[in-house]
């Protein structure tokens, strides 16, 4: 299986083969390699006994390298991977159990982070959860989160009261709609994903992993989707803004670019903008025009 996964990793560097690999091999790689070798399954009580075996698995490294490549194949590829049962859960679990260990800089963790970064690209536009939100609802949510008053001017200069609903949020109290633990694709945008990304950014020394984690936050914080509002607030609550600001000083242009654009998206939140200004951020000499981070298209060919 290790050899087969390695061959697929090499083949996945060819653009013409990415979708065929997703169509024919995604489910097999997920169910036969990613889930069992990540030590994640649907029974949390079994996790601890298998932590030590995680990063000794060459087949997991090869399989995640393959999926990293194919995750850059476009919207249909991202859709299929998001809908693949257990894939997101297992990838995130690999990251979580690597935190605080010597494996945090490993190639396997790098691959997992970059896959999640790609799958977080344009989430609101490409998922049914994002498409269900109306503009009026999101406008009200954004206004509340950014400290606006409960009323706003209408088209003819009159005051129009915003609806008081379960999705409105003041930016300080607990997040709405988070009573049940997230699972599957929900984990991609749930505010709980912020903490492992920030831990990677503060503890990891692998520049590709740093770029991937910053890129994921950049993607998640973009736009006016309600979960983007929550993500921006979650980064503030987890004291992630100073972590991002400090990374602007790192001697790696790709990391700095991803971090700078993530901060640009974080600043859509008025409270974040004020805090970022207080940090006294350096001025990186980089152009960061992208609202969303482009999907990672770097080819990771197994040697």
């Amino acid at each position: 299986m290790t050899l087969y996964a390695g061959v697929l990793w090499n083949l996945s560097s060819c653009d013409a083969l990415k979708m065929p690999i997703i169509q024919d091999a995604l489910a097999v790689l997920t169910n036969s390699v990613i889930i069992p070798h990540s030590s994640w399954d649907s029974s949390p009580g079994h996790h601890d006994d298998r932590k030590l075996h995680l990063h000794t698995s060459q087949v997991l490294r090869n399989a995640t390298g393959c999926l990293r490549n194919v995750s850059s194949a476009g919207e249909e590829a991202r859709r299929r991977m998001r809908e693949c049962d257990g894939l997101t859960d297992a990838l995130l679990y690999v990251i979580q159990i690597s935190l605080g260990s010597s494996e945090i800089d490993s190639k396997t963790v790098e691959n997992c982070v970059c896959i999640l970064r790609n799958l977080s690209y344009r989430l609101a536009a490409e998922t049914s959860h994002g498409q269900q939100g109306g503009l009026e609802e999101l406008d009200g949510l954004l206004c509340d989160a950014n400290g606006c008053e409960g009323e706003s001017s209408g088209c003819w200069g009159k005051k129009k009261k915003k609806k008081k609903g379960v999705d409105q949020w003041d930016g300080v109290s607990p997040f709405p709609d988070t009573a049940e633990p997230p699972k599957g694709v929900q984990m991609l945008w749930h505010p709980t994903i912020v903490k492992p990304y920030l831990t990677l950014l503060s503890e990891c020394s692998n520049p590709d992993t740093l770029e991937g984690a910053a890129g994921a936050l950049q993607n998640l914080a973009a736009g006016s989707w309600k979960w983007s509002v929550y993500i921006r607030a979650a980064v503030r609550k987890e004291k992630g803004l100073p972590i991002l600001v400090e990374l602007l000083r790192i001697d790696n242009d790709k990391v700095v670019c991803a971090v700078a654009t993530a901060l640009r998206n974080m600043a859509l939140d008025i409270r974040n903008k004020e805090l970022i200004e207080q940090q006294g951020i350096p001025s990186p000499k980089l152009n960061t025009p992208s609202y969303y981070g482009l999907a990672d298209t770097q080819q990771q060919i197994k040697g």
Side-chain angles (χ1 to χ4, degrees):
M1 181 63 76
T2 300
L3 179 59
Y4 296 147
V7 170
L8 285 173
W9 189 358
N10 282 338
L11 292 175
S12 66
S13 65
C14 174
D15 288 341
L17 295 178
K18 289 181 179 180
M19 280 308 299
I21 288 175
I22 287 179
Q23 292 166 356
D24 297 332
L26 175 60
V28 175
L29 286 175
T30 299
N31 295 321
S32 300
V33 179
I34 304 294
I35 291 177
H37 287 266
S38 69
S39 73
W40 177 88
D41 59 25
S42 58
S43 304
H46 295 162
H47 288 165
D48 293 339
D49 295 337
R50 292 180 288 171
K51 283 185 179 181
L52 295 177
H53 302 292
L54 173 61
H55 295 297
T56 60
S57 174
Q58 184 71 26
V59 67
L60 181 62
R61 177 179 181 270
N62 293 350
T64 53
C66 173
L67 294 187
R68 175 180 177 176
N69 279 347
V70 301
S71 66
S72 66
E75 181 176 348
E76 178 63 14
R78 292 191 295 270
R79 184 188 67 79
R80 286 173 177 258
M81 294 182 71
R82 289 170 186 147
E83 295 175 354
C84 185
D85 289 342
L87 178 59
T88 300
D89 310 74
L91 294 174
L92 186 56
Y93 186 72
V94 170
I95 294 171
Q96 288 172 329
I97 66 173
S98 72
L99 301 178
S101 75
S102 60
E103 303 296 343
I104 196 171
D105 292 320
S106 70
K107 190 68 175 181
T108 300
V109 171
E110 175 191 325
N111 289 337
C112 291
V113 171
C114 290
I115 295 169
L116 291 174
R117 174 200 181 182
N118 291 348
L119 298 187
S120 68
Y121 180 69
R122 293 182 56 81
L123 266 175
E126 296 178 1
T127 64
S128 58
H129 294 78
Q131 294 163 357
Q132 287 170 1
L135 294 178
E136 182 178 352
E137 173 191 2
L138 295 178
D139 180 65
L141 176 66
L142 259 181
C143 191
D144 286 342
N146 288 339
C148 299
E149 296 179 356
E151 296 181 347
S152 62
S153 297
C155 296
W156 304 104
K158 297 180 180 180
K159 294 287 186 178
K160 182 177 65 175
K161 290 186 178 181
K162 294 189 178 297
K163 291 183 179 181
K164 297 285 185 180
V166 295
D167 286 325
Q168 289 192 337
W169 178 62
D170 60 7
V172 178
S173 58
F175 299 108
D177 299 336
T178 58
E180 296 183 1
K183 60 182 179 179
V185 68
Q186 297 173 348
M187 300 180 77
L188 288 175
W189 61 71
H190 195 275
T192 54
I193 203 171
V194 165
K195 191 168 185 178
Y197 284 150
L198 291 177
T199 304
L200 284 172
L201 290 172
S202 61
E203 297 181 0
C204 182
S205 60
N206 182 336
D208 291 325
T209 302
L210 292 174
E211 182 191 1
L217 290 177
Q218 169 191 339
N219 289 337
L220 293 172
S224 58
W225 190 29
K226 73 174 183 179
W227 292 105
S228 298
V229 176
Y230 299 162
I231 290 292
R232 292 193 286 268
V235 171
R236 180 176 68 251
K237 286 187 170 191
E238 295 290 344
K239 297 179 172 55
L241 296 176
I243 295 173
L244 290 168
V245 170
E246 184 61 28
L247 281 170
L248 290 175
R249 297 179 170 88
I250 196 172
D251 187 20
N252 186 293
D253 286 349
K254 289 184 178 181
V255 175
V256 171
C257 186
V259 170
T261 314
L263 282 168
R264 176 180 180 269
N265 290 346
M266 297 300 166
L268 294 171
D269 182 297
I270 297 300
R271 292 186 181 91
N272 284 353
K273 183 177 180 180
E274 294 171 350
L275 290 172
I276 292 170
E277 290 174 347
Q278 294 171 11
Q279 296 293 320
I281 61 175
S283 300
K285 296 179 180 180
L286 293 169
N287 293 321
T288 57
S290 299
Y291 206 52
Y292 294 95
L294 294 178
D296 178 15
T297 56
Q298 179 181 357
Q299 309 303 328
Q300 300 296 320
I301 302 175
K302 178 177 178 292

